[in-house]
Amino acid sequence: MIDLRSDTVSRPTRAMREAMANAEVGDDVYGDDPGVIELEERAASLFNKETALFMPSGTQSNLAAVMAHCERGDEFLIGDRYHILCHEAGGTAVLGSVLPRALATDAGGAVDPDDVRAAVKPDDPHFARTRLLCLENTVSGMVIDLDHMTTVARAAHDAGLRVHLDGARILNAAIALGITPARATAFADTVSVCLSKGLGAPVGSVLCGQKEVIAKAHRIRKMLGGGMRQAGVLAACGSFALEHNIERLADDHRRARDLAQKLQGIDGISVPMDLVQTNMVFVDIDPSDVDPLRTALNRAGILASVQAPRMRIVTHLDIDDDDIDLVASAFLACFRRND
Ligand SMILES: *Cc1c(COP(=O)(O)O)cnc(C)c1O
């Protein structure tokens, strides 16, 4: 099956499984798993932060970060379409008693520094204390440039806030911008990065930042049930991914562009090219085409989240050039028959 639903679906390669099989392990709750220690050191150095913490998921990583930066009754500012606000089951409010306050995002997925400044509440017992700004990059596959990220973060810092970056796909952004991971995250006090998406590891994220805040996140990870024992087998995949799978994200980006160009000319669908900036392609389809397209793709061995008005296609480690051709032909065959 050619699985285009997400970059999370990629399977560990043989080489990654070998790294896993050869991993030395300890007990990470006792802090002596060498594989986890190696991954955390590698991540801290890659993102030029004091230290890092291996997390079971991006969701838990973001939650631990928000809870480490904020106390109960505090609030944080966040773009109104960002993952922590929209796709993490309200965890910050439910488990952290920390209130999200949504800021408008523009078409490119960015928030405005003026909105950040205006949203910070004065110190008054009527108000929740505004403590944190949560940013994201990439946002739905779109890249926000470093100048803008830095300007928004500065507005937050000047107002006394901390800045957390949900960098689930920050390495896609760094590759697209042609800058180092350290530069792409320099403005953030903490950054969470998914190992399980384009990087191709089966599990996990890393949360990077200064020692003090990461120590708090460590306690919160335990509280949330995220303490893992012989986690070195999983961390080995993360280390392997950070060593081998960053530069190749450019291939995923090229294939996404390639697919978008091939789909663009097909009658009956429309492909917003301005959204194709990393490894995602969006295709606008008519509701009446959803069932026929799903069937046609499935018959061709393609799994995709077919939905109207807009469906998302994601390229990743398990998608090669031939797959792109096959997907384009399956679309073409379907919409030709529709005429
Ligand atoms: C996938 C994702 C997460 C959450 O990661 P999980 O490992 O799936 O919990 C957080 N933020 C963004 C932007 C994501 O794309």
Side-chain angles (χ1 to χ4, degrees):
M1 270 292 193
I2 299 173
D3 194 340
L4 304 171
R5 291 172 300 169
S6 176
D7 46 10
T8 57
V9 302
S10 64
R11 316 280 173 92
T13 57
R14 180 176 297 277
M16 185 179 275
R17 284 168 191 262
E18 263 162 33
M20 209 174 180
N22 296 330
E24 256 190 87
V25 293
D27 186 324
D28 184 51
V29 175
Y30 286 100
D32 62 15
D33 186 297
V36 173
I37 292 168
E38 191 201 321
L39 170 63
E40 291 175 345
E41 283 173 356
R42 191 186 284 274
S45 139
L46 183 68
F47 294 102
N48 194 27
K49 302 291 184 203
E50 268 181 21
T51 190
L53 188 64
F54 183 38
M55 304 292 297
S57 71
T59 299
Q60 192 177 99
S61 187
N62 283 328
L63 176 57
V66 172
M67 289 175 69
H69 285 298
C70 302
E71 303 296 325
R72 294 183 64 209
D74 289 348
E75 82 173 356
F76 66 101
L77 310 178
I78 182 163
D80 58 9
R81 56 186 291 192
Y82 292 175
H83 202 276
I84 297 173
L85 181 68
C86 305
H87 296 107
E88 298 187 4
T92 62
V94 178
L95 299 170
S97 302
V98 183
L99 292 81
R101 164 117 188 243
L103 304 179
T105 43
D106 65 20
V111 297
D112 188 313
D114 287 335
D115 290 347
V116 171
R117 281 184 277 270
V120 178
K121 294 191 170 83
D123 184 4
D124 177 313
H126 291 87
F127 302 142
R129 286 168 304 191
T130 317
R131 274 291 164 82
L132 175 71
L133 170 67
C134 287
L135 296 175
E136 191 175 301
N137 204 10
T138 62
V139 177
S140 297
M142 293 184 296
V143 181
I144 301 165
D145 68 64
L146 184 60
D147 270 358
H148 190 84
M149 295 299 283
T150 305
T151 304
V152 177
R154 189 171 301 129
H157 283 141
D158 287 349
L161 311 187
R162 298 277 196 82
V163 175
H164 170 67
L165 172 63
D166 177 358
R169 296 190 178 87
I170 190 65
L171 291 167
N172 294 86
I175 288 290
L177 292 168
I179 59 177
T180 63
R183 272 196 80 202
T185 56
F187 56 84
D189 298 292
T190 48
V191 55
S192 172
V193 183
C194 279
L195 302 166
S196 57
K197 293 188 171 164
L199 291 180
V203 169
S205 285
V206 281
L207 179 63
C208 311
Q210 283 194 320
K211 282 189 177 133
E212 200 181 324
V213 68
I214 299 299
K216 281 182 83 179
H218 194 164
R219 178 186 299 272
I220 293 160
R221 184 186 69 175
K222 185 68 186 148
M223 189 193 296
L224 296 172
M228 297 182 286
R229 302 292 178 173
Q230 281 71 55
V233 285
L234 299 173
C237 298
S239 288
F240 183 94
L242 291 180
E243 196 178 337
H244 296 103
N245 292 347
I246 296 178
E247 295 302 322
R248 66 151 304 288
L249 291 170
D251 299 336
D252 297 343
H253 299 176
R254 174 179 57 74
R255 289 188 179 112
R257 263 195 318 276
D258 188 23
L259 179 62
Q261 273 154 8
K262 288 187 155 88
L263 297 182
Q264 197 182 193
I266 297 177
D267 254 1
I269 63 178
S270 134
V271 182
M273 294 301 286
D274 53 326
L275 303 187
V276 191
Q277 299 179 18
T278 53
N279 65 336
M280 295 182 189
V281 179
F282 295 87
V283 183
D284 293 344
I285 61 174
D286 195 82
S288 64
D289 288 326
V290 168
D291 287 335
L293 180 60
R294 188 183 294 118
T295 308
L297 293 179
N298 285 349
R299 274 206 200 106
I302 299 160
L303 205 53
S305 311
V306 182
Q307 55 186 41
R310 179 165 285 178
M311 64 179 283
R312 183 186 80 164
I313 289 173
V314 188
T315 56
H316 52 79
L317 211 105
D318 290 352
I319 303 293
D320 63 18
D321 292 334
D322 291 343
D323 295 334
I324 296 296
D325 288 339
L326 223 145
V327 172
S329 327
F331 267 86
L332 194 60
C334 174
F335 284 94
R336 202 182 274 142
R337 201 178 46 232
N338 268 357
D339 288 345

